[in-house]
Amino acid sequence: MNVDDYIAGFDDEHKRDFLARLRDLSRSAAPTAEEGIKWGNPAYSLNTILFVFAGYAKHANFVFTPSTKEAFADQLGEFDTGKGSIKLYYDREIPTKLLSQMIAHRIREAEVDGVKWM
């Protein structure tokens, strides 16, 4: 399975489009990252996993390290979050600027600070 297969596996066209936009954002914000499937979900890596996204029935999750999520805690108040995850509901806009900033932070965290995946 690859990311094309993953996205194609969703029956709903709106969900496929939403996930494809998350993929485009991921590739744009982390152009040198390797794209693959980890734990059955799209993942982006540079010697360690940087972030993962996953689609569910009512939302998608974008998952970073807890330290990346914490670095942006003051901007995540309107989102439902988990340990390192942010819920993105299909009927809302994708926060592209915020996610791009978080991806840039995570790349720095991995490359400069040596922070590995959980």
Side-chain angles (χ1 to χ4, degrees):
M1 175 188 278
N2 60 32
V3 178
D4 289 324
D5 298 331
Y6 178 86
I7 293 171
F10 286 80
D11 293 335
D12 183 279
E13 183 178 343
H14 179 70
K15 290 177 186 172
R16 284 194 307 270
D17 177 63
F18 192 95
L19 296 170
R21 287 185 287 138
L22 289 181
R23 181 189 198 185
D24 291 345
L25 169 68
S26 299
R27 289 171 144 180
S28 173
T32 60
E34 180 183 333
E35 179 183 76
I37 298 289
K38 304 278 188 203
W39 311 288
N41 298 304
Y44 296 81
S45 305
L46 289 172
N47 298 322
T48 188
I49 297 170
L50 297 172
F51 56 90
V52 177
F53 69 83
Y56 298 99
K58 298 183 189 303
H59 70 280
N61 268 359
F62 215 98
V63 185
F64 295 98
T65 55
S67 53
T68 294
K69 192 197 99 185
E70 285 305 312
F72 289 85
D74 62 332
Q75 297 177 57
L76 296 172
E78 68 185 66
F79 297 94
D80 294 328
T81 61
K83 181 178 178 182
S85 65
I86 303 163
K87 277 188 182 177
L88 303 171
Y89 293 96
Y90 296 121
D91 62 349
R92 298 182 193 165
E93 288 295 313
I94 295 171
T96 54
K97 182 178 176 186
L98 175 59
L99 291 176
S100 294
Q101 291 171 337
M102 293 180 79
I103 290 168
H105 175 88
R106 175 66 187 122
I107 291 170
R108 272 191 315 279
E109 178 185 71
E111 292 183 334
V112 177
D113 302 331
V115 176
K116 302 289 185 199
W117 188 249
M118 296 176 255

